[in-house]
Amino acid sequence: MAKKDNKGRNLHTGESQRNDGIYMYRYTACTNMAKQGMNVKVLQYIMGHAHSDVTMDVYNHIANKQDIREEVERYARVAGN
C-alpha cells in the first residue's frame, strides 16, 4: 500500500486518490456557513470534525478587508459604541 500525504496524494506518484471537486464544494459550503455566523459547534458536527479547532483553523478565515470592516462594525453595535 502506497503512503499518502495529508491531501490524499500518493507520495511516490503524486496522484490524487480522491475527487478534489467534492472537497471544493465542501470547503465552500462550510466557509459560507461560517461567514453567516453559524455556531462553530454546529458547524463542527456538520463537517464531522472531532475538534472545533480543526473547523476554525481550516474554514473560518478572513476573506478580505470588507469582512474585517463588517466584523468591527458588528462588534461596535453589540458593544453599544
Side-chain angles (χ1 to χ4, degrees), residues 21-76:
I22 291 171
Y23 288 90
M24 178 192 64
Y25 290 117
R26 173 184 165 89
Y27 178 84
T28 301
C30 189
T31 300
N32 289 337
M33 288 184 274
K35 284 183 75 172
Q36 293 300 317
M38 181 176 281
N39 181 295
V40 70
K41 294 303 281 184
V42 173
L43 198 50
Q44 171 194 350
Y45 177 78
I46 290 169
M47 299 309 291
H49 296 148
H51 305 284
S52 61
D53 59 334
V54 172
T55 307
M56 295 300 291
D57 288 346
V58 175
Y59 296 102
N60 197 15
H61 60 279
I62 297 172
N64 56 44
K65 290 181 181 179
Q66 182 63 30
D67 288 346
I68 297 169
R69 185 176 300 114
E70 289 171 3
E71 286 301 311
V72 170
E73 290 171 359
R74 184 175 70 82
Y75 174 75

